[in-house]
Amino acid sequence: MNAAQSHKLSMKDKIKVAIVGAGKTGRGFVARFAKQGNAELAFIDSSEELVKMINEDRGYTIHFFGGGRGPIRIDGVRAAMAGSDLAIDWMADADLIFTAVGESNLINLAVPLLEAMKRRSELHKRRPVYVVTCENGVNPGKALMDAWTAAGGNPEILIVAEAAIFCSSVEMPGTRLDIQSESYDELPYDSHVLPEAYRLPGMVPEPRFRELLQRKIYTYNCLSACIAYLGALKGYEMYADAAADPDICTVLEQVLEPLNRALSAKMNLPLRSQEDFARRALRKFQDPSIRDDISRNARDVPRKLGPKERLIAPAKIIEEAGGDCAALALAAAAALHYRGPDESDLHDLLNKYGVEEGLCKISGLATSDAFLLRVSRYYRALHERNRGEAISFEKLLDIVGD
């Protein structure tokens, strides 16, 4: 434990919490822990419209999928524009800062946090500030900490811990701020970094957190990507409908069999434990009461095809273990076909360089890599099918060879 972590927060103090990112995860999930801890809560967001609505309404309701649990009301909240003097003041005064902005956006927090810590020093506050990243990424804490130190920040006064998000939340149709969320009330976090005194109710200390986060990305997020991109190709809009499609389920089974074995060996986990972990993920994704959509889960294809991300990294782990990653190659090919509203850069890249070189630039794989070449073959098979022809992924797995 470093010197900064030796400072203790009295449990008699009312904890001040700032949540950077007032979207679905920040507003619909992370805010619950602040409420349970009776913390003073403030949101920081880059959307002027969202900040305005929060300050006008000063509260909102979290509803739960399936109707088996009563709603939770979050009241007395306030919001500030990211980068504003008010946001800097709130971060300077906070005991805990949560982020829910997406891993790729974390580097943008370094300079505002630097300003906030300078202001905190002027206020003669001696306790360090703990930032808890609530992002779907392999190593979001490192991304933020690297940006913080590169900006000249002192790692003794701002300490970054990571948390893992297993809860799905979406905006409630027909409301200004309400959220629909999964009834899931645990936030696992890195207990080696965040002291017990800063733990809010519902936050679960995890001593093997790095392993848990990687396992989540390579299981939950891997399956999520497969379902989203294969589902999009089949014309599904709702996520659970795609997850229950028999043809897609066949692909998922062929992903999981070698993946579970490879992760079990790599992470020194009992195979049964990893299989149960994966089954829980599938049950969640196939739950029709969780009204999530394909577009939310499929967006940002280039990031999700990154070298340490949810499709490429599991494929490499399977290959290292001697397993077959054909099903993952098909899912990656489906990702390259995704035509979401924000994927124009991806398709410009593919049009300019072709699928092999384009995927090489995104994934970090060599153009001669066996997995990349297999993705390319599936990509072309999908491209060459007759327009309007029904897709059989099971058939494609059988006919597209090595």
Side-chain angles (χ1 to χ4, degrees):
M1 179 177 290
N2 60 35
Q5 288 174 288
S6 67
H7 291 280
K8 297 230 176 133
L9 179 70
S10 168
M11 296 308 289
K12 295 179 181 178
D13 294 338
K14 184 165 185 175
I15 295 179
K16 295 181 179 179
V17 171
I19 299 177
V20 183
K24 294 174 280 290
T25 297
R27 206 162 77 245
F29 182 60
V30 180
R32 285 188 233 166
F33 302 100
K35 179 179 174 61
Q36 290 176 58
N38 193 32
E40 184 179 324
L41 174 61
F43 288 109
I44 297 168
D45 201 89
S46 60
S47 167
E48 187 173 348
E49 180 182 8
L50 183 55
V51 167
K52 182 174 182 289
M53 286 194 294
I54 291 172
N55 286 328
E56 287 175 348
D57 295 6
R58 298 303 303 274
Y60 58 93
T61 301
I62 301 170
H63 310 263
F64 294 95
F65 296 120
R69 176 180 177 183
I72 294 175
R73 182 71 185 171
I74 307 292
D75 277 317
V77 296
R78 50 190 178 153
M81 285 296 297
S84 68
D85 283 345
L86 185 56
I88 299 298
D89 283 341
W90 287 354
M91 288 193 292
D93 198 34
D95 300 298
L96 269 176
I97 299 173
F98 292 91
T99 74
V101 297
E103 184 180 21
S104 60
N105 296 315
L106 285 173
I107 60 172
N108 299 326
L109 296 181
V111 172
L113 283 170
L114 194 63
E115 292 291 324
M117 294 308 101
K118 288 177 181 176
R119 200 162 297 181
R120 185 176 178 86
S121 177
E122 294 167 1
L123 296 172
H124 303 291
K125 287 180 173 283
R126 295 184 178 180
R127 283 198 302 261
V129 172
Y130 288 88
V131 179
V132 182
T133 59
C134 301
E135 316 293 348
N136 278 318
V138 178
N139 203 339
K142 184 177 185 303
L144 178 55
M145 207 63 206
D146 286 350
W148 163 254
T149 53
N154 181 351
E156 293 290 310
I157 63 172
L158 184 137
I159 301 167
V160 179
E162 294 175 322
I165 304 296
F166 286 89
C167 181
S168 295
S169 301
V170 299
E171 292 175 347
M172 182 81 171
T175 71
R176 280 161 59 91
L177 292 169
D178 286 7
I179 296 288
Q180 284 183 301
S181 184
E182 187 181 355
S183 183
Y184 187 92
D185 293 307
E186 293 185 357
L187 182 65
Y189 70 92
D190 190 342
S191 59
H192 290 297
V193 180
L194 187 70
E196 173 69 19
Y198 286 77
R199 179 166 67 91
L200 297 173
M203 294 179 67
V204 180
E206 176 52 65
R208 298 177 66 183
F209 183 81
R210 173 59 38 212
E211 177 184 278
L212 174 68
L213 191 57
Q214 287 189 341
R215 190 183 184 194
K216 173 188 178 289
I217 295 296
Y218 298 156
T219 307
Y220 272 70
N221 295 79
C222 175
L223 289 173
S224 173
C226 293
I227 292 165
Y229 297 124
L230 296 171
L233 272 179
K234 286 213 162 192
Y236 285 106
E237 293 184 0
M238 299 309 297
Y239 189 77
D241 295 340
D245 178 277
D247 191 32
I248 293 176
C249 286
T250 296
V251 180
L252 299 180
E253 289 170 7
Q254 294 190 43
V255 167
L256 281 178
E257 195 281 328
L259 179 61
N260 284 335
R261 291 186 179 280
L263 287 176
S264 172
K266 186 176 181 66
M267 296 185 173
N268 194 27
L269 298 164
L271 178 58
R272 180 62 63 85
S273 171
Q274 171 57 25
E275 289 173 340
D276 289 345
F277 189 75
R279 274 195 291 270
R280 287 197 298 273
L282 270 180
R283 282 198 299 269
K284 168 184 171 173
F285 298 147
Q286 292 171 343
D287 184 346
S289 72
I290 300 177
R291 302 303 292 165
D292 206 352
D293 58 74
I294 291 287
S295 60
R296 188 182 80 85
N297 289 278
R299 66 190 177 196
D300 200 2
V301 175
R303 178 174 68 84
K304 292 173 181 175
L305 284 171
K308 296 182 180 179
E309 269 286 346
R310 61 204 70 195
L311 291 173
I312 303 301
K316 295 287 101 181
I317 291 170
I318 290 172
E319 284 185 339
E320 289 169 8
D324 184 1
C325 52
L328 269 179
L330 175 58
L336 293 174
H337 274 280
Y338 181 62
R339 291 292 191 274
D342 301 317
E343 307 300 337
S344 58
D345 288 348
L346 168 67
H347 295 290
D348 288 345
L349 182 73
L350 296 178
N351 290 334
K352 181 176 180 180
Y353 294 104
V355 63
E356 288 91 355
E357 192 174 345
L359 181 55
C360 171
K361 291 179 179 296
I362 296 169
S363 67
L365 299 175
T367 52
S368 59
D369 181 88
F371 180 73
L372 183 145
L373 294 174
R374 184 176 260 184
V375 173
S376 175
R377 284 193 289 275
Y378 282 121
Y379 178 87
R380 288 186 167 83
L382 290 169
H383 183 73
E384 291 166 3
R385 75 187 190 279
N386 294 327
R387 188 165 294 182
E389 178 186 355
I391 306 170
S392 169
F393 296 132
E394 184 176 8
K395 184 178 178 181
L396 272 177
L397 285 171
D398 287 339
I399 65 175
V400 179
D402 289 335

